[in-house]
Amino acid sequence: MGRLMKVLRGHLAEGPQLVPILSQIESRVNGLPGTRHPLRRTLLLFQCAMANVEETETVQFSSLDSGDTGERVAFLIVIRGPELGRRFPLSTRRAVLGRSAEVEICIPDPSLSRRHCELSCAVEGGQSRFELRDVGSTNGTFVNGARVHEHVLENGDRIGVGEVVLKFSLLDALEQSFHQEVRQRMRRDHLTGLLNLTTFYAELDRALAQSRRDGGSIGLLMLDVDGLKRVNDTHGHLLGAEVVRQVGRCLHENVEPVGGVSALYGGDEFIAYLPGKSGRESVEVAEAVRSQVEATEIGDSQGVTVHVSVCIGVAEYARDAKERSLLVSYADEALYAAKRSGRNRVISFSRALIGG
């Protein structure tokens, strides 16, 4: 049996040329007694392999749409540093790159100067030429490892600014689509579709910087599913995963319409921020989330259904805290106060929760 499989596998690449041989084997196998004879299994495996070969051979590469219109757009792509994979499109206008929220290309990394370097574009003979110029940065600007003051960029150049590395790339439509898809997969949790925590914190930091400038408030929500362990232990982790997915959906459907951003914090915990919302307004949104989760019937493919509830803690920038870490900590304090007081409820942070 092993020898036969070795021979068949060795000649599998011949594809359709093996069909007559396969037919002969099939006729002999059909005459064997019983349905579980080892040779029947060998034949079945080989038929599956042949089906894969035949399917592969029918692919017509000429039918694939390359998406390349011949037009390429200039981008800077972060290949090391915060917000890995983010693309910054370049235009014919001058653009300053730095850590300041007021520049055109903002990368919030402390190793960058507030205004680090400048990119400009000149059109010559119908072709765009991009020039990079350092604007007095502390740590310097580098292209392909060499420190520069001015440099005409070429496709594929790597630009080093502080600890961050960007790649200058000219991308056609298909390449742009590819980078966008990769970026989305890097930014989002696969189960819920919400942002991952790293991306969420980067977005929150930008929102906090904006609020510091304009004096606006931000509501922060921390959410935890009540009794998920019981669901997992009683009905299995597949239904537990569906619970997490559905709770994430309820959170997103209430947060996104008011300009909020939500993420999976980890396990059965979620986090969201609401720009421009006070603590009172954030509690109203949190109550809408809590109510929707409580009313949602969650089921699996076997027809098993459950209802769950959530607890949500709310904190407000800048009333409760002015730094991100403290803001998250206070929302977390409010969350666990809600869980201690009976679950399925929303509690807003107060100094009394920390003995203040």
Side-chain angles (χ1 to χ4, degrees):
M1 187 63 60
R3 183 181 300 172
L4 175 59
M5 284 302 296
K6 184 176 181 180
V7 171
L8 292 178
R9 287 171 178 157
H11 291 282
L12 188 60
E14 298 178 18
Q17 298 177 16
L18 285 178
V19 171
I21 300 174
L22 183 60
S23 299
Q24 293 178 28
I25 297 174
E26 187 174 7
S27 64
R28 293 188 62 184
V29 169
N30 288 337
L32 293 172
T35 59
R36 299 176 64 87
H37 193 282
L39 192 54
R40 290 187 182 277
R41 180 174 177 275
T42 301
L43 176 64
L44 179 61
L45 291 172
F46 187 66
Q47 286 172 326
C48 291
M50 282 295 296
N52 288 336
V53 171
E54 291 168 1
E55 181 181 356
T56 300
E57 290 180 347
T58 61
V59 172
Q60 300 296 319
F61 286 98
S62 60
S63 68
L64 297 178
D65 180 9
S66 69
D68 185 357
T69 63
E71 298 179 0
R72 293 180 179 268
V73 178
F75 289 89
L76 290 183
I77 304 171
V78 179
I79 60 174
R80 189 180 73 191
E83 300 188 87
L84 191 68
R86 185 176 181 185
R87 296 177 304 152
F88 296 93
L90 302 178
S91 67
T92 55
R93 296 181 301 171
R94 291 181 180 271
V96 175
L97 184 154
R99 75 169 191 270
S100 170
E102 298 177 357
V103 302
E104 291 80 5
I105 303 175
C106 174
I107 302 178
D109 187 279
S111 65
L112 273 69
S113 296
R114 293 180 60 81
R115 295 171 60 87
H116 199 105
C117 58
E118 181 185 73
L119 293 107
S120 60
C121 176
V123 179
E124 299 177 354
Q127 298 293 320
S128 297
R129 188 187 72 169
F130 289 88
E131 184 172 304
L132 177 70
R133 183 173 66 87
D134 186 88
V135 290
S137 66
T138 300
N139 293 325
T141 300
F142 296 78
V143 176
N144 300 326
R147 186 163 185 165
V148 300
H149 177 66
E150 293 183 352
H151 183 85
V152 176
L153 293 172
E154 296 183 2
N155 190 25
D157 278 349
R158 295 185 177 186
I159 302 168
V161 284
E163 297 297 321
V164 177
V165 178
L166 305 101
K167 185 175 182 179
F168 175 74
S169 296
L170 302 175
L171 305 179
D172 62 30
L174 181 60
E175 291 167 326
Q176 292 176 48
S177 176
F178 165 76
H179 280 277
Q180 179 67 17
E181 178 68 19
V182 170
R183 168 78 169 157
Q184 287 302 314
R185 294 192 182 199
M186 292 173 59
R187 286 166 53 88
R188 297 194 176 273
D189 168 67
H190 296 307
L191 175 62
T192 63
L194 303 180
L195 294 182
N196 59 42
L197 192 57
T198 300
T199 303
F200 175 86
Y201 278 153
E203 298 283 347
L204 176 57
D205 286 344
R206 273 197 292 271
L208 289 170
Q210 180 66 37
S211 292
R212 291 186 187 103
R213 290 194 300 273
D214 61 24
S217 58
I218 295 177
L220 189 77
L221 279 56
M222 287 287 291
L223 179 153
D224 183 83
V225 181
D226 299 328
L228 181 63
K229 183 178 186 302
R230 184 175 65 253
V231 174
N232 286 332
D233 292 344
T234 304
H235 303 292
H237 285 79
L238 287 179
L239 184 56
E242 181 63 14
V243 167
V244 172
R245 191 178 73 83
Q246 291 294 337
V247 170
R249 177 183 62 82
C250 293
L251 177 63
H252 176 76
E253 288 179 355
N254 287 277
V255 165
E256 193 269 342
V258 295
V261 177
S262 52
L264 182 68
Y265 192 79
D268 59 350
E269 290 189 308
F270 298 80
I271 188 169
Y273 73 83
L274 307 172
K277 299 297 182 183
S278 66
R280 180 184 57 80
E281 292 169 322
S282 299
V283 166
E284 292 175 357
V285 174
E287 281 289 356
V289 175
R290 184 202 61 76
S291 178
Q292 183 175 339
V293 171
E294 184 182 25
T296 299
E297 184 177 77
I298 303 171
D300 63 11
S301 60
Q302 305 302 314
V304 178
T305 61
V306 296
H307 283 83
V308 298
S309 61
V310 296
C311 283
I312 305 175
V314 178
E316 179 191 331
Y317 169 88
R319 181 196 68 188
D320 300 323
K322 296 183 179 180
E323 298 300 325
R324 183 240 283 174
S325 60
L326 200 55
L327 188 66
V328 172
S329 176
Y330 286 168
D332 200 43
E333 288 285 351
L335 166 63
Y336 281 94
K339 296 188 79 69
R340 289 192 299 269
S341 62
R343 304 188 177 187
N344 191 26
R345 60 191 61 204
V346 175
I347 287 185
S348 184
F349 175 77
S350 68
R351 295 290 167 181
L353 295 177
I354 56 174

